Amino acid sequence: MTKINHLKYLILRSPDTRKMADWFINNLSFSPLRQDQSEDTMELMNGNCHLLLQKVNSEETTSDDRYAGIDYIALSTWDIHRALRHCEGLDLVTDGGEPFSNNSKNGEDSLYFYILTPFHFRLRISESAGSRKKGVGPIICGLDHIGIATTDIEKTVTFYADLGGKLLKDSPTLKASSHCSMMLGGLPFEIREDSNRSEVERTIPSAIYGMGFHVRDAAATEINGVNGEKLLFEPQPTYDIVAIGESLIDFIPLKSKTDDSLDYSGSVGGAPANVLAAAAKYGLKTAFIGKVGADSFGSLILNVLKNSNIDTTTMQTTKEHPTTLAFVSLDESGDRSFSFYRNQTADVMIHPDEIDEGALSSCRIFHLGSVSLTCEPTRSTTHHALQMAMQNGAIISYDPNIRELLWGDLTEMKREILRVMEFADIVKVSEEELFFLSDSTDLQEGMLALRDRYDLCCLVVTLGDKGCILLYNGEFYQHPSYRVDTIDTTGAGDSFCGSLLYQLLKEEDFRRIPAEKIPGILKFCNAAGALATTKYAAIPSLPTEEEVQLLIHSQL
């Protein structure tokens, strides 16, 4: 039996998945992973708690004597008071009539309460002192454990042991016990024997059929349990950064020989790909999730990304849609504006089932922007990838990188961009983007507004030739830019962002960087961003670490 080491899905089966989904969405802020889900199978996510709802026929909802159904599912939260306020009006069940109690220890001084569901099992919400405070959704951190009520504890334990479960109590005491704990897929199961239940209670209610789980390990193996459980073992690649989004051809204007012609030089671009290329220059292992056309432009993109040491095995190629093109206009100072050819092009038409979830299973950072949020199906696909990365504990890096021409409605643009901000750990914006998103015209006031609203750990605003300002752990840090001969600002922000992620990954814990290290990090990022403006196009202009250090030391 292959050792199971990580839970991936909690599967609930019901004759009415829509009713069940609506309850989780309306009462606990779960979100659908895709907008186009059928009611036969629906996926919901809150934080890293992933529910897979499967529709079954009503006549399938009878349990045998081994399984009387789920007693409760335990979920953790980083702020039980916030969760309690959010659940106001629901039927809360506690041991002593209080809204929460500290009689249960899940970490230090953990609190908990129960919520009765319409599905004849309870949700136990507990506060976990060691949980991540950000990147895990507004309420739920994830699954803590599952309680199962059974009419025969020995048979139930045997069933889960056959699937690789490990009994956490001594086997000889099992016969004399009405309660035991098992570990399966990195998740504890509390199994309680209740032989006194009536025949009606021993039948799983029609609102819910049963539970299952989807787990992974280093071997590619599938096991199907006799009670509907599906165990999936899959390889776990390791990446420093995985990004999703657009990879396209940027056409940069050259000086025309005559007034009635245009000369352009095409090069590979797209903000998420640029960020990965910048990070790969420093030796980080990166992978890109995207889609290109089966045309000469798509071939160029794949070749350039491969040559930039970006893993492209996670990318899709299609004959049905062309590669996206962007035409850049430069003013006298090198600042640029864009014209996009992106109507149903390849990067827009990537679907959730084309995502390589293996790349998201163990990446340290998941990076995204807002261009992939502009329309469907790329919007749902991006949210799907985001939730997968969060479920697997990735740090979430977000550069909104606003392109107004790609949005039909600025209100929708702001709503969708801020929707992702809820899950971000690291955010980089320009000064103009900050003012738009925060509704403030004051730099520090706007930064504080975003930090407080979305509980951001690291918020940095790039200020062009004025450098940058960082809000980190409640403190502001500002650093000026470097003097260079700027000819094209394309990719400067992406060079800054890739350099920032590189610097943060060098730290043992990016949330607890000593204050004295911050200026050095900003120096490095500003220098990298400045150097990217000294050449045309994005990826060709990205500097090496040696070039960055040389610029820093030349202007001490």
Side-chain angles (χ1 to χ4, degrees), residues 238-543:
T238 56
Y239 297 99
D240 293 306
I241 308 174
V242 172
I244 190 171
E246 72 282 4
S247 184
L248 45 81
I249 302 295
D250 281 327
F251 284 94
I252 309 296
L254 303 175
K255 291 184 178 180
S256 300
K257 294 181 180 179
T258 63
D259 293 336
D260 58 355
S261 66
L262 293 173
D263 291 336
Y264 283 91
S265 174
S267 62
V268 174
N274 297 340
V275 170
L276 292 184
K281 278 262 186 168
Y282 307 130
L284 296 187
K285 187 174 181 180
T286 65
F288 184 72
I289 297 175
K291 194 172 186 178
V292 296
D295 48 34
S296 59
F297 299 128
S299 297
L300 176 62
I301 289 172
L302 291 173
N303 288 333
V304 169
L305 296 188
K306 288 177 184 177
N307 292 335
S308 300
N309 295 317
I310 298 171
D311 190 342
T312 59
T313 60
T314 52
M315 295 183 65
Q316 301 289 326
T317 302
T318 176
K319 294 181 179 180
E320 298 178 2
H321 306 283
T323 301
T324 301
L325 306 178
F327 288 82
V328 183
S329 299
L330 301 176
D331 62 18
E332 293 180 357
S333 63
D335 286 331
R336 76 270 191 263
S337 58
F338 293 87
S339 298
F340 290 94
Y341 289 78
R342 197 171 174 256
N343 183 19
Q344 291 195 335
T345 51
D347 73 287
V348 174
M349 301 307 293
I350 188 170
H351 292 266
D353 58 6
E354 295 177 302
I355 294 296
D356 185 344
E357 294 184 4
L360 301 170
S361 66
S362 59
C363 64
R364 299 171 67 189
I365 289 179
F366 177 71
H367 177 77
L368 72 162
S370 70
V371 171
S372 59
L373 302 173
T374 53
C375 55
E376 295 292 355
T378 180
R379 180 184 297 171
S380 293
T381 303
T382 300
H383 280 285
H384 176 75
L386 171 62
Q387 300 291 354
M388 291 298 97
M390 289 169 55
Q391 174 195 349
N392 289 286
I395 299 166
I396 306 302
S397 166
Y398 187 34
D399 178 3
N401 202 30
I402 296 175
R403 297 286 180 262
E404 293 184 12
L405 290 176
L406 295 177
W407 297 84
D409 184 330
L410 295 188
T411 301
E412 178 191 23
M413 177 179 76
K414 188 172 186 178
R415 181 182 69 246
E416 292 298 327
I417 290 174
L418 292 178
R419 179 184 172 195
V420 171
M421 193 82 70
E422 176 73 40
F423 307 109
D425 298 299
I426 302 163
V427 172
K428 183 202 78 70
V429 293
S430 69
E431 188 173 16
E432 295 79 8
E433 290 166 345
L434 172 74
F435 293 155
F436 173 75
L437 296 174
S438 67
D439 296 319
S440 173
T441 56
D442 180 84
L443 187 60
Q444 292 195 4
E445 182 182 276
M447 293 180 73
L448 288 171
L450 284 187
R451 191 279 310 269
D452 293 342
R453 191 181 310 162
Y454 299 105
D455 196 22
L456 302 175
C457 174
C458 178
L459 173 60
V460 62
V461 180
T462 52
L463 306 172
D465 58 7
K466 296 183 297 236
C468 69
I469 182 170
L470 169 70
L471 177 56
Y472 180 80
N473 286 341
E475 298 292 334
F476 284 100
Y477 303 85
Q478 193 158 359
H479 195 277
S481 185
Y482 287 84
R483 299 182 303 277
V484 294
D485 294 325
T486 296
I487 60 174
D488 179 11
T489 59
T490 305
D494 303 327
S495 179
F496 182 101
C497 188
S499 301
L500 176 64
L501 299 184
Y502 167 63
Q503 290 291 317
L504 295 181
L505 283 178
K506 291 169 68 174
E507 300 297 324
E508 184 175 348
D509 184 350
F510 85 98
R511 298 175 186 83
R512 294 179 176 84
I513 301 175
E516 60 270 18
K517 284 190 173 184
I518 301 296
I521 292 174
L522 297 184
K523 282 183 183 179
F524 188 94
C525 298
N526 276 338
L531 284 171
T533 70
T534 61
K535 299 178 183 178
Y536 284 108
I539 291 179
S541 69
L542 298 172

Side-chain angles (χ1 to χ4, degrees), residues 39-293:
E39 295 193 4
D40 290 336
T41 301
M42 303 184 68
E43 294 182 68
L44 306 178
M45 179 72 77
N46 186 338
N48 63 351
C49 179
H50 187 179
L51 299 183
L52 183 66
L53 310 184
Q54 294 182 341
K55 190 169 185 177
V56 295
N57 297 325
S58 298
E59 57 267 21
E60 296 177 354
T61 60
T62 300
S63 170
D64 63 27
D65 284 346
R66 290 180 301 170
Y67 308 96
I70 299 174
D71 191 27
Y72 62 89
I73 297 172
L75 303 170
S76 59
T77 176
W78 49 265
D79 187 342
I80 201 165
H81 298 277
R82 182 180 182 185
L84 182 65
R85 290 193 300 270
H86 186 86
C87 298
E88 185 176 354
L90 296 180
D91 191 357
L92 304 183
V93 182
T94 65
D95 56 351
E98 298 296 327
F100 45 80
S101 166
N102 62 2
N103 294 334
S104 174
K105 297 292 182 180
N106 177 26
E108 289 187 15
D109 298 325
S110 180
L111 311 172
Y112 72 91
F113 61 89
Y114 285 105
I115 297 176
L116 284 181
T117 74
F119 319 119
H120 293 240
F121 67 86
R122 299 173 293 171
L123 292 176
R124 170 175 162 171
I125 313 292
S126 61
E127 184 174 289
S128 181
S131 64
R132 278 183 64 202
K133 189 174 179 181
K134 193 54 196 164
V136 292
I139 297 176
I140 306 300
C141 282
L143 295 170
D144 188 277
H145 58 278
I146 296 173
I148 299 175
T150 177
T151 57
D152 190 328
I153 195 168
E154 285 190 80
K155 288 183 179 179
T156 302
V157 168
T158 299
F159 174 78
Y160 287 107
D162 289 342
L163 293 176
K166 179 182 178 183
L167 191 64
L168 297 184
K169 286 191 174 182
D170 294 336
S171 296
T173 65
L174 181 59
K175 290 185 178 181
S177 175
S178 61
H179 182 277
C180 70
S181 298
M182 298 188 74
M183 182 70 73
L184 181 62
L187 182 73
F189 285 72
E190 293 186 359
I191 302 172
R192 179 171 58 87
E193 186 170 358
D194 190 352
S195 57
N196 295 322
R197 287 193 176 192
S198 68
E199 289 298 322
V200 174
E201 290 175 320
R202 287 164 59 178
T203 299
I204 295 179
S206 59
I208 179 171
Y209 174 48
M211 56 79 61
F213 30 79
H214 189 184
V215 299
R216 68 170 192 270
D217 200 356
T221 308
E222 279 197 6
I223 300 174
N224 293 303
V226 298
N227 198 40
E229 291 82 355
K230 181 178 182 180
L231 310 182
L232 173 65
F233 304 90
E234 61 188 25
Q236 297 182 51
T238 56
Y239 297 99
D240 293 306
I241 308 174
V242 172
I244 190 171
E246 72 282 4
S247 184
L248 45 81
I249 302 295
D250 281 327
F251 284 94
I252 309 296
L254 303 175
K255 291 184 178 180
S256 300
K257 294 181 180 179
T258 63
D259 293 336
D260 58 355
S261 66
L262 293 173
D263 291 336
Y264 283 91
S265 174
S267 62
V268 174
N274 297 340
V275 170
L276 292 184
K281 278 262 186 168
Y282 307 130
L284 296 187
K285 187 174 181 180
T286 65
F288 184 72
I289 297 175
K291 194 172 186 178
V292 296

